[in-house]
Structures are given as structure tokens and as C-alpha cells.
Amino acid sequence: MQMSYAIRCAFYQLLLAALMLVAMLQLLYLSLLSGLHGQEEQDQYFEFFPPSPRSVDQVKAQLRTALASGGVLDASGDYRVYRGLLKTTMDPNDVILATHASVDNLLHLSGLLERWEGPLSVSVFAATKEEAQLATVLAYALSSHCPDMRARVAMHLVCPSRYEAAVPDPREPGEFALLRSCQEVFDKLARVAQPGINYALGTNVSYPNNLLRNLAREGANYALVIDVDMVPSEGLWRGLREMLDQSNQWGGTALVVPAFEIRRARRMPMNKNELVQLYQVGEVRPFYYGLCTPCQAPTNYSRWVNLPEESLLRPAYVVPWQDPWEPFYVAGGKVPTFDERFRQYGFNRISQACELHMAGFDFEVLNEGFLVHKGFKEALKFHPQKEAENQHNKILYRQFKQELKTKYPNSPRRC
């Protein structure tokens, strides 16, 4: 009898130990799964569960810190700069997508976050006091409800120096206070915004595109500086990281990402095969094709579309820089800044490419990655009221090239 009781006790103890072992193995499996798919599962988690009150408080505290000083004036004294409305931790060896936008054009961030898997930095320009208030409310709403915004996006604000941005009250404006998800924020922004050309603001304030570009690129090693209404090819960030991580030979090289534009009614191509098919039937064409063909022609689009398909991103061919080529590129190291005297439209990117050339950088076109601008740029619809400012920048560009001769006296290159 006692022997039977002892056997039963031993059996139950063995069963309990087995159950505990199974539970421990399950916990170990979940831990390993979390490590392998941490970011993906975190994103899924936040889709179902809203951010905690503590994370919202942190966002508000961060905004308050950025806005409390009243910003700093730029070199011209015309603009007030607020750095770090949103901040994100970035690997110093990472590739940052740097862009700029008016408040109304922030709705394009949604598409950029879907395609670009790495860190993103955006500089926002608010032309009026009301837009400055809206920008801070949007920063609050987007970072509160969009996990990707909190994890991967840095945001800066620029407004005319006579205005100051204020800490947002989440109750104002009221239409944003009731939103509860990331999609709702972007949907609401799409309804209230009037997207268009960044520098066609309908105000007397000049759009400081080069100030915004420098601000977005600030602190980055490698950066791809693009317009906010462009979309990168799928996997471009991963391909760039792999290529740059495998070698340190890219110092002094501008890795050119070919740029195209597409009819607005079309779905954005994800890979080169889709892009080439649309290119061959005229639904996609080189960027600026209808406005300034020489500005992108050196990219050599006919050569690029006929390159053999490859799985790895790499430079395919070297292109000597020539005026007025203004490619979109990835470069690290001592990359010259954009000259902030150029505002509105005209010569703002050409001038920087010209200096990059004189500073000794070589231009190599990538084989697979690309950018696509949303919509064809048509001359008849393009900034007709900005001709005077364009002429001013044209004169400034001639002066700028003379200044470069003094800045780089030993350079054999010329613009």
C-alpha cells in the first residue's frame, strides 16, 4: 500500500517536472522568435494596441524641449529653425533618407515610410503662424499614433523668423484630438491639406529648400536627399546598407540613383522590371524630361534600362559630371552642404552637384535602385509666377561658380 502511494507520488512529481520543462521550452522559443522578428512583431503589436500614456507623455516632453528655446535663426536671419521636434536614434553607418516639405505635403511621408525601411529625416516649412501650429500638432499626432514615426523619423521645423511655434495643446485643433490610429492621422491630413509644389505657397515668403535639405541631412554620414513626392524602389535601403557594409571604398564617390517620373494614375513600380515595362510604353520617363532634359541626361537612361538584371546593388558605370546635371545620389564623408542663398526654384541642386564635382567626388550610377516622382512635371503648369526668382538664382549661380574657383584653387575641375 505504501509502495503504491510512493509510486503515485513519484509519477505526479515526474509529470509536474515535465510540464514545467515544456513551459520553459515554450518561453525560450518565444524569446528566440521575438529576437528574430522583434521589429515586425512590435509593429504588429502597435497596430492592435495604442501607445501607452507614458510614450505619449515622452513625445509631448520632447516637443516641449524642442520648442521651448524659441528656435535659432538661420545665417540670413530670415528663418527660425527648430531642430528635433521628433528624434530617433541612428546608427552612424546607416543611410538616411533626407527630405523636405511644406506642411500640406507631409501626407507623402506615409508612402516613404512604406518603401524606405531605414531612418528618415524630414524638414518641414511652415509659411504662416497657423501652419507652424498645425505642424506641431501633426508632429504630436503622428508620433503618438504611428510606431514607425517614433522609431525611424526625425522631424525639424522651419518658419519665418517673425513667427514662433508653440507647444501643441492636443485638444487644438479639435479635428486631430479625436484621432486614434496612424491611418486616421494621414487620412485627416489628406482631407485638410492642399498638396502642391513646395515653393508655390501663395505667400510672400520664399521656400528655403537648401536650408531644409541641410537641416534634414545634418549629422548623417551617408544620406540620400530627395524631394518628398518621390518614392524609392523597394529594398533600396537594404541594398545600400549591404553594399556600404561590405566595403569602405565609397569615400569620395557619389552613388547616383536614377530618377524617373510617372503618370499620376499609375501604381508606383516596386522593382526595375516593373519600371522598365512602364518606361517602354511611355508611362514612365526620365525625371525633368519635359522641363530640363540636360539636367538629368548624363545619367544615360537608355544604358541603364538595358543593363543585365542583377540581384545585388552595385555601381554599374562612371559618369563625368557636366553642367547642368543634378543627380540624386548617396554619398558620405565630407559632402559639401547646399548653398542656402538659393531659395524657391532654380539652380539649388545644380550648385551643390557642381561643388561636389570640384571637391573631387566621382559619380557612379547604381545598377538596380531608382526613384520615381509622382506625376509628370509639365512646363505649362510649372511655377509661371516664379520667373523673376529663377533669374535671380541664375545670376547667383554664375557668381557661385566663380566663388568655387577661390574655394578650390588646386582643383583641376571646373563647372
Side-chain angles (χ1 to χ4, degrees):
M1 187 76 173
Q2 291 180 348
M3 180 67 68
S4 175
Y5 176 77
I7 292 174
R8 287 200 302 273
C9 285
F11 172 77
Y12 287 127
Q13 288 176 348
L14 183 62
L15 179 62
L16 180 61
L19 290 173
M20 292 180 65
L21 179 61
V22 170
M24 291 177 64
L25 288 173
Q26 287 179 329
L27 288 173
L28 179 61
Y29 170 76
L30 290 173
S31 176
L32 291 173
L33 188 65
S34 175
L36 290 172
H37 304 287
Q39 185 59 51
E40 179 181 350
E41 292 191 352
Q42 182 185 36
D43 292 345
Q44 293 175 349
Y45 173 87
F46 281 116
E47 287 295 324
F48 291 97
F49 300 98
S52 66
R54 183 168 178 263
S55 65
V56 173
D57 288 343
Q58 288 174 338
V59 169
K60 188 172 182 179
Q62 187 170 298
L63 280 170
R64 182 180 290 110
T65 299
L67 297 170
S69 65
V72 296
L73 297 182
D74 77 319
S76 71
D78 295 335
Y79 301 98
R80 191 177 301 275
V81 177
Y82 295 90
R83 288 176 169 83
L85 263 63
L86 301 181
K87 291 183 178 180
T88 183
T89 55
M90 298 184 186
D91 181 344
N93 296 317
D94 214 331
V95 183
I96 294 173
L97 187 70
T99 190
H100 57 97
S102 60
V103 176
D104 285 334
N105 280 325
L106 277 176
L107 56 87
H108 292 294
L109 277 182
S110 178
L112 288 178
L113 285 167
E114 289 178 8
R115 282 290 181 92
W116 185 262
E117 300 164 295
L120 191 154
S121 178
V122 56
S123 298
V124 183
F125 181 63
T128 66
K129 187 175 182 179
E130 291 73 23
E131 286 187 359
Q133 180 191 15
L134 179 59
T136 59
V137 171
L138 279 172
Y140 182 93
L142 289 169
S143 58
S144 295
H145 299 299
C146 303
D148 269 350
M149 291 289 294
R150 291 195 301 275
R152 297 197 283 126
V153 176
M155 182 181 289
H156 316 284
L157 176 64
V158 175
C159 59
S161 57
R162 61 182 177 274
Y163 301 134
E164 288 193 22
V167 176
D169 183 337
R171 296 168 299 181
E172 297 292 344
E175 62 264 26
F176 284 93
L178 301 177
L179 303 180
R180 291 294 178 267
S181 72
C182 186
Q183 189 59 53
E184 285 185 10
V185 178
F186 277 111
D187 288 345
K188 185 62 182 180
L189 177 57
R191 290 194 295 270
V192 302
Q194 297 179 340
I197 301 170
N198 277 326
Y199 41 80
L201 298 174
T203 69
N204 293 325
V205 179
S206 295
Y207 185 81
N209 36 33
N210 278 358
L211 168 61
L212 296 167
R213 289 183 177 113
N214 287 336
L215 188 60
R217 199 193 188 288
E218 196 171 76
N221 184 9
Y222 284 94
L224 173 58
V225 183
I226 68 170
D227 297 337
V228 75
D229 52 358
M230 303 181 100
V231 176
S233 54
E234 188 177 54
L236 180 57
W237 173 78
R238 290 196 308 272
L240 287 167
R241 276 302 306 258
E242 291 171 2
M243 186 182 71
L244 295 172
D245 287 346
Q246 289 174 2
S247 174
N248 59 1
Q249 72 181 63
W250 307 117
T253 302
L255 302 165
V256 176
V257 183
F260 297 82
E261 52 190 40
I262 189 171
R263 294 188 194 276
R264 286 194 179 276
R266 281 294 193 176
R267 181 181 69 87
M268 303 299 283
M270 299 179 69
N271 54 52
K272 187 173 180 178
N273 283 336
E274 293 182 3
L275 179 87
V276 171
Q277 290 176 15
L278 294 172
Y279 181 85
Q280 290 172 340
V281 296
E283 293 298 304
V284 163
R285 66 187 189 184
F287 186 61
Y288 262 36
Y289 182 80
L291 291 173
C292 181
T293 302
C295 292
Q296 297 296 324
T299 302
N300 198 341
Y301 288 92
S302 60
R303 179 177 182 180
W304 186 85
V305 298
N306 288 296
L307 289 172
E309 183 178 353
E310 297 183 71
S311 58
L312 296 178
L313 189 69
R314 67 170 184 84
Y317 51 91
V318 177
V319 176
W321 186 85
Q322 55 184 287
D323 201 358
W325 191 27
E326 49 178 23
F328 296 91
Y329 64 86
V330 177
K334 297 181 179 180
V335 177
T337 58
F338 292 84
D339 192 301
E340 296 176 6
R341 293 174 296 177
F342 292 92
R343 303 174 185 176
Q344 290 293 135
Y345 171 73
F347 303 93
N348 48 80
R349 288 197 305 110
I350 296 174
S351 55
Q352 199 262 357
C354 168
E355 181 169 2
L356 197 68
H357 166 68
M358 287 198 63
F361 279 75
D362 296 318
F363 293 80
E364 301 190 28
V365 180
L366 294 172
N367 60 338
E368 293 290 326
F370 58 85
L371 299 167
V372 181
H373 177 270
K374 299 175 182 178
F376 285 171
K377 285 183 172 289
E378 303 289 355
L380 294 177
K381 303 176 183 177
F382 202 65
H383 56 80
Q385 77 281 17
K386 302 300 180 183
E387 185 61 30
E389 291 167 330
N390 186 42
Q391 288 301 314
H392 168 78
N393 283 353
K394 186 176 183 179
I395 295 170
L396 178 58
Y397 182 49
R398 287 199 291 264
Q399 174 187 332
F400 177 80
K401 290 193 288 186
Q402 292 300 316
E403 293 170 355
L404 289 183
K405 294 179 181 179
T406 302
K407 186 174 182 178
Y408 300 96
N410 298 321
S411 175
R413 300 179 174 184
R414 288 293 179 265
C415 291

